[in-house]
Amino acid sequence: MSSVKKIRVLRGSPEEVGEQLQENLERMLESTRRWAEILTFDPEPETGLTPKNIVWRKNKAKLYRYVNGEIKYRTPVLFIYALINKAYILDLTPGMSLIEHLVKEGFDVYLLDWGEFQWEDRDLRYDDFICDYIARAVRKVCQISGTESLSMAGYCMGGTMTTMYAALYSRPEVKNIVYIAAPIDFENAGLSSIWLKPPGFDPDKVADTYKLVPKEFIDTGVKMLKPVNNFWGTYTRLWKNIEEGVSIRSWKALNKWVNDNVHFPGAAYRQWIKEFYQENKLVKNEFRIKGQRVELKNIKSSLLVLAGENDHIVLPHQTKAILELSSSQDKEFHLFPVGHGGLVFGSVARNQVYPTIANWLAARS
């Protein structure tokens, strides 16, 4: 669709101004009608379109390997995403996809997609996700790629889980880690710390009541951290896109993802709220996976840490903490003028974040 023309400044006699005003109004009404038709009748845009193959499965989880004509960099890259929402935000639409960008740059890219948790998954803990899913996926990636090391990239909670894995497992070698808005230090998590502070908020009661915490419960809680922006801003951004001539497909794809949530296994939810947000065990070296202490000093990988200065879900200092807590010598921190999603979607992501990640990995792969 062509860009919407800007309204012209009105000049001239009252009659001429009236004619110009009428013309502008007609143009706006026509544009509004056309966009309304697209919003109402067009199907939801397809997402996750970068060609891929399923190379391993466990339960609902799938390990994807993305098809690439030529692999320039031998070290494979494994993406780990959070347990809520869907992983296709990393491969949203053609031209707006971090995975697509890395594949085109010649990287051997994998993604662990958790799938949609159901009632039988209610007792899954981080012990299971780290040892039975991520650890096995890592071995499979290295086996297929024929390497003894890999790079890992974690977005949001996926970065937290990547940290747990890297602190516990020395082989295969985690050569590089890319952190994308990943919470590590939960001491001051902004409004989340206030809302989830004990004894006012009881995660045991939530987990015991629901067993499998409904996606609607999680979605509402996250959106209420910034209700005006999340409930009304969605549509103000739409009208801004209309004015600027931005593709409606991009807006619809992002809106689809924002509302495409998954249930949260109650056992993992209990750990996430109590042991991370309320007790901050990870940075205190008190968090345990199957009885083994997770010590962040064990991490010696090269680190690329990315944060959004407007992120209200994961504050920049929460991610930056890994720079001091690990034993890594090769480490970089980049702060971008975006929110949580802006690190993987939008013009800043496409023009700044994607190249930053690609260039950093290329120099270490």
Side-chain angles (χ1 to χ4, degrees):
M1 177 175 290
S2 60
S3 298
V4 177
K5 296 181 180 178
K6 298 283 187 180
I7 297 176
R8 296 194 302 269
V9 177
L10 305 181
R11 294 188 178 90
S13 66
E15 291 79 10
E16 292 172 332
V17 169
E19 292 177 358
Q20 294 173 42
L21 180 60
Q22 180 66 27
E23 182 182 342
N24 284 338
L25 288 173
E26 290 176 356
R27 185 185 300 113
M28 290 177 62
L29 289 171
E30 176 61 20
S31 297
T32 302
R33 184 190 63 77
R34 288 186 285 126
W35 284 96
E37 288 179 354
I38 293 175
L39 286 170
T40 304
F41 300 110
D42 272 20
E44 285 190 333
E46 292 185 275
T47 49
L49 295 178
T50 302
K52 57 186 177 291
N53 296 317
I54 299 173
V55 295
W56 177 77
R57 293 175 182 263
K58 178 175 174 58
N59 195 7
K60 282 59 171 198
K62 300 174 184 177
L63 178 64
Y64 293 119
R65 187 188 193 188
Y66 290 84
V67 178
N68 190 347
E70 178 184 1
I71 296 175
K72 292 172 57 178
Y73 304 105
R74 180 165 174 77
T75 304
V77 182
L78 171 61
F79 278 93
I80 305 294
Y81 188 63
L83 300 177
I84 57 176
N85 289 109
K86 299 287 184 65
Y88 64 76
I89 185 61
L90 297 168
D91 182 32
L92 195 61
T93 60
M96 192 63 71
S97 163
L98 174 55
I99 286 176
E100 177 192 52
H101 182 87
L102 293 178
V103 169
K104 288 183 176 179
E105 289 294 312
F107 290 94
D108 190 8
V109 181
Y110 296 77
L111 167 68
L112 181 57
D113 186 334
W114 299 109
E116 299 192 42
F117 301 112
Q118 301 299 333
W119 181 250
E120 62 271 19
D121 304 309
R122 62 192 181 279
D123 294 324
L124 288 174
R125 296 165 50 87
Y126 285 98
D127 310 56
D128 305 300
F129 294 123
I130 305 304
C131 300
D132 299 336
Y133 287 79
I134 294 179
R136 294 175 65 182
V138 165
R139 292 197 296 270
K140 180 61 68 173
V141 166
C142 291
Q143 175 190 0
I144 293 172
S145 296
T147 65
E148 296 181 356
S149 64
L150 80 163
S151 298
M152 298 182 70
Y155 180 31
C156 193
M157 189 196 299
T160 316
M161 291 191 286
T162 296
T163 301
M164 298 182 217
Y165 171 82
L168 291 172
Y169 290 83
S170 59
R171 291 286 181 273
E173 177 194 12
V174 182
K175 190 174 184 180
N176 312 300
I177 301 178
V178 178
Y179 287 92
I180 308 173
I184 303 298
D185 186 353
F186 293 79
E187 181 65 29
N188 175 16
L191 191 56
S192 294
S193 291
I194 297 174
W195 281 19
L196 301 176
K197 185 177 180 179
F201 189 91
D202 187 351
D204 290 324
K205 184 173 292 185
V206 175
D208 291 341
T209 300
Y210 285 119
K211 309 297 184 183
L212 182 69
V213 182
K215 56 187 178 182
E216 295 82 6
F217 182 90
I218 302 297
D219 181 51
T220 301
V222 172
K223 287 180 177 176
M224 284 303 293
L225 290 173
K226 207 167 185 180
V228 174
N229 185 65
N230 288 318
F231 290 106
W232 293 102
T234 300
Y235 300 99
T236 59
R237 285 192 297 274
L238 169 61
W239 288 106
K240 183 178 180 182
N241 287 348
I242 291 175
E243 182 181 341
E244 296 176 351
V246 175
S247 169
I248 191 66
R249 286 191 178 88
S250 295
W251 181 89
K252 291 191 72 173
L254 182 61
N255 195 53
K256 169 187 174 182
W257 174 79
V258 165
N259 296 291
D260 196 3
N261 308 297
V262 296
H263 304 307
F264 200 158
Y269 173 87
R270 189 195 310 270
Q271 288 181 292
W272 184 244
I273 302 301
K274 177 180 285 189
E275 299 190 57
F276 289 88
Y277 275 98
Q278 294 185 343
E279 300 175 355
N280 203 19
K281 284 188 174 182
L282 189 60
V283 301
K284 296 176 181 177
N285 294 320
E286 296 176 356
F287 188 75
R288 293 179 179 271
I289 293 291
K290 295 195 173 180
Q292 186 173 354
R293 190 189 304 272
V294 177
E295 298 189 57
L296 302 188
K297 66 181 182 180
N298 293 337
I299 298 176
K300 301 176 182 179
S301 315
S302 296
L303 305 182
L304 175 62
V305 181
L306 310 177
E309 62 181 350
N310 303 321
D311 192 343
H312 66 283
I313 296 176
V314 179
L315 278 60
H317 72 267
Q318 291 187 259
T319 305
K320 192 176 182 180
I322 191 61
L323 297 175
E324 299 299 325
L325 296 169
S326 69
S327 298
S328 303
Q329 298 301 308
D330 176 19
K331 48 194 176 184
E332 290 184 18
F333 176 73
H334 294 265
L335 187 65
F336 295 92
V338 294
H340 194 70
L343 288 169
V344 293
F345 175 89
S347 59
V348 172
R350 182 173 53 201
N351 299 325
Q352 298 181 40
V353 181
Y354 296 178
T356 296
I357 295 174
N359 294 336
W360 187 86
L361 284 173
R364 293 160 178 80
S365 301

